[in-house]
Amino acid sequence: MSKFWSPLVHSLTPYVPGEQPKLPNLVKLNTNENPYPPSPKAVAAMQAEIGHDGASLRLYPDPNSDRLKAAVAAFYGEFGITAQQVFVGNGSDEVLAHAFMGLLKHDAPLLYPDITYSFYPVYAGLYGITPKTVPLGEDFGIDLAAYRQPNGGIIFPNPNAPTGRLLPLAEIEALLAANTESVVVVDEAYVDFGGDTAIALVNRFPNLLVVHTLSKSRSLAGLRVGYAVGHPALIEALERVKNSFNSYPLDRIAIVGAEAAMADREWFDRTRNAVIASREQLVSDLSLLGFDVLPSAANFVFARHPGRDGAELAQALRQRSIIVRHFKAPRIDQFLRITIGTDEQCAALVTALKEILG
């Protein structure tokens, strides 16, 4: 605390990212990173961009990231997406931040789930947006019928985080048909692990913005690249905010690496399918140990054991150098969010839990 802080800083409750611990022989299952490396073509493209002497790095990157926007549009070509419908930013968190400022800041309240991605209330506080949370159902699912009320915007993840539960595309379509006077942002950080993207609806609903990241299904969390797809008018709003904040959010290496990753569909399918298979095996193993596991369409599972305290389980795993995420929040304080690792990492987790549970 300092007398030099502006009043806003005093009122902020910052986002707390997942821990990046430095433990020996660590099995890291707490931040939803992909256990597999990124596309070899993406790695080669980044190495080529640097070159033998790094001379390209003396030049600014393309402020518009046109090649990357074209690659994203090409990936969704079946839905008639064009590059003019794509926005890119420094991770999906930055893309979301610009959406909060440029599309969701209105007099009416912003609606989002009461249990969801914890950056949403942070951005609401940072930008002076009035939030109104909508409770999840008893099954921890999002009830989109409850969002049919006056609002200045709606945002939710699909699948939801940290629960992993998926909404059918038809339910999102029904919400969009009923909610035509404000923007609906669908945050699809995890959709590639089991859902259908709402990008299929973009050309039918001018108030829909869909946000993605390359951190999860393309194994590029360390590169920090995210994008949004929506009507050109929505994209223009994001560009105006971006160019009032940072004209160069993506560096030269990130642009070429992300472009190559988007183009390598075979690697994308291979690695995400491997994660899905490991998830289904882990769900089965946890269920046999007595865990209640919510249905997941993400690269993580959300599970609780009726006979053991969630925080104690997390600590016992940590003592064995296995890190999972535990949230000290109402309704979910007995759950563990467990990232899907390699089969070997998942097996180590199950073995440790068997020891802990006796």
Side-chain angles (χ1 to χ4, degrees):
M1 185 150 321
S2 168
K3 67 179 181 180
F4 300 114
W5 287 7
S6 68
L8 172 65
V9 176
H10 287 275
S11 66
L12 294 179
T13 303
Y15 173 76
V16 179
E19 183 187 7
Q20 298 290 345
K22 296 178 175 62
L23 298 175
N25 304 312
L26 179 66
V27 177
K28 188 172 182 296
L29 304 176
N30 68 320
T31 50
N32 299 342
E33 293 143 324
N34 197 309
Y36 301 105
S39 160
K41 294 179 180 178
V43 175
M46 290 185 281
Q47 291 171 335
E49 179 64 26
I50 296 173
H52 71 281
D53 61 359
S56 68
L57 300 183
R58 68 184 178 82
L59 302 173
Y60 283 106
D62 174 10
N64 296 317
S65 302
D66 287 330
R67 288 173 51 182
L68 175 54
K69 291 178 180 178
V72 172
F75 186 83
Y76 298 106
E78 64 183 297
F79 304 130
I81 300 301
T82 67
Q84 289 69 41
Q85 294 173 280
V86 179
F87 175 82
V88 298
N90 189 254
S92 61
D93 287 336
E94 182 181 77
V95 175
L96 289 168
H98 293 340
F100 269 71
M101 174 61 79
L103 299 170
L104 303 176
K105 183 177 171 62
H106 300 286
D107 292 335
L110 172 65
L111 307 182
Y112 53 76
D114 63 336
I115 299 171
T116 193
Y117 185 31
S118 52
F119 232 135
Y120 298 165
V122 172
Y123 284 145
L126 179 62
Y127 296 125
I129 297 171
T130 301
K132 183 177 181 181
T133 58
V134 181
L136 297 184
E138 291 298 318
D139 63 353
F140 293 96
I142 295 175
D143 177 13
L144 289 185
Y147 288 76
R148 298 187 185 187
Q149 57 177 290
N151 67 81
I154 296 171
I155 184 169
F156 55 86
N158 194 41
N160 192 21
T163 64
R165 299 210 60 156
L166 181 73
L167 285 165
L169 201 58
E171 293 186 17
I172 298 174
E173 182 177 3
L175 173 67
L176 289 162
N179 188 90
T180 60
E181 299 304 309
S182 68
V183 170
V184 176
V185 177
V186 183
D187 183 357
E188 292 188 339
Y190 303 102
V191 76
D192 294 325
F193 297 105
D196 295 322
T197 178
I199 290 174
L201 304 175
V202 160
N203 281 328
R204 293 176 49 203
F205 297 97
N207 62 327
L208 170 63
L209 187 78
V210 184
V211 178
H212 274 239
T213 177
L214 273 70
S215 295
K216 314 301 182 184
S217 57
R218 289 179 175 81
S219 307
L220 289 171
L223 204 61
R224 312 310 303 131
V225 179
Y227 60 88
V229 179
H231 188 278
L234 302 186
I235 300 304
E236 181 183 358
L238 300 181
E239 295 285 358
R240 289 171 66 87
V241 173
K242 184 266 283 188
N243 287 319
S244 301
F245 177 73
N246 178 10
S247 295
Y248 300 98
L250 295 183
D251 61 52
R252 300 177 69 91
I253 298 169
I255 290 171
V256 298
E259 177 191 2
M262 292 300 302
D264 193 350
R265 191 179 291 263
E266 189 277 333
W267 186 264
F268 165 76
D269 285 332
R270 183 195 305 181
T271 53
R272 71 180 179 130
N273 287 334
V275 170
I276 291 170
S278 297
R279 181 188 69 209
E280 298 313 303
Q281 181 61 54
L282 181 59
V283 169
S284 176
D285 291 340
L286 290 174
S287 298
L288 289 174
L289 291 177
F291 280 86
D292 298 323
V293 187
L294 296 187
S296 174
N299 71 333
F300 59 84
V301 295
F302 207 49
R304 63 183 170 189
H305 196 283
R308 299 298 291 267
D309 179 73
E312 292 178 1
L313 281 176
Q315 181 59 31
L317 287 169
R318 185 184 185 88
Q319 292 171 353
R320 292 163 172 80
S321 293
I322 299 173
I323 308 298
V324 298
R325 192 81 184 264
H326 175 254
F327 296 91
K328 300 176 183 178
R331 295 185 67 191
I332 60 170
D333 60 347
Q334 293 305 307
F335 281 87
L336 301 178
R337 193 195 68 187
I338 305 170
T339 301
I340 305 303
T342 62
D343 287 340
E344 293 76 16
Q345 289 174 321
C346 291
L349 169 73
V350 172
T351 298
L353 286 171
K354 288 178 179 178
E355 295 175 358
I356 294 167
L357 296 171

